[in-house]
Amino acid sequence: MPELSTADLFDRFGEALRVCAPVFRDFGGRAAFSGSAVTVKCFEDNSRIKEALAEPGQGRVLVAACGGSLRCAMLGDMIAESAVEQGWAGVVIDGCVRDVARLAQLDLGIKAIASTPRKSTRRGEGQRDLLVEVGGIAVHPGDTVVCDRDGILVAPPSASSELLEGADQASPRN
């Protein structure tokens, strides 16, 4: 997939796209990434994130609504390495990550709010494949998620082919 420019895509498709609030930082080795959304809702328990990223990713993007918690990391190097091995394009986490030096070396897009050394607990809690809210916008399973250094865009599956065609025509930004 070509490098996508969210700014150019927004110029072309405008309000047909949902734009996340600019609260996310880049932590992964891949600055631009996109794919079909897989959604998880969890709070200070990364069990569902670990399970999802251990499955074949097929170029998809995991979107995890973690309640914006800054108390513990929902993704670290071991789970992220599993995501790379399984072929995930990226992860968007409404919360924290850890092991940031290692995350930056991985061929994986990672957007999160912040980093913290504290790990989460695993109690097997959380939900998967449901509507979630991240960065002030709704994300449904199967939505197209496009991320780069400018931000995060989300489009419904019905607009995915047109959006990705637009990405082919958009010039990459640095």
Side-chain angles (χ1 to χ4, degrees), residues 40-152:
V40 169
K41 184 176 183 180
C42 51
F43 185 75
E44 296 181 1
D45 177 344
N46 69 351
S47 299
R48 298 294 162 266
I49 292 171
K50 181 180 181 187
E51 290 170 3
L53 294 176
E55 299 172 1
Q58 303 167 324
R60 295 176 295 170
V61 175
L62 181 69
V63 179
C66 303
S69 175
L70 301 177
R71 290 190 290 224
C72 63
M74 300 300 282
L75 178 77
D77 61 344
M78 292 171 30
I79 295 173
E81 287 169 359
S82 173
V84 171
E85 291 168 8
Q86 292 297 326
W88 288 84
V91 182
V92 176
I93 294 185
D94 178 21
C96 292
V97 297
R98 68 187 215 156
D99 305 311
V100 297
R102 178 66 182 129
L103 296 182
Q105 297 172 345
L106 298 176
D107 185 22
L108 182 69
I110 302 170
K111 294 236 184 224
I113 296 174
S115 64
T116 183
R118 181 181 292 132
K119 67 181 182 177
S120 78
T121 58
R122 288 203 194 111
R123 299 177 303 275
E125 297 176 0
Q127 298 170 293
R128 190 163 159 196
D129 300 321
L130 69 160
L131 168 69
V132 296
E133 185 173 312
V134 172
I137 63 168
V139 181
H140 299 82
D143 281 352
T144 297
V145 179
V146 181
C147 303
D148 66 10
R149 293 178 203 266
D150 285 330
I152 302 169

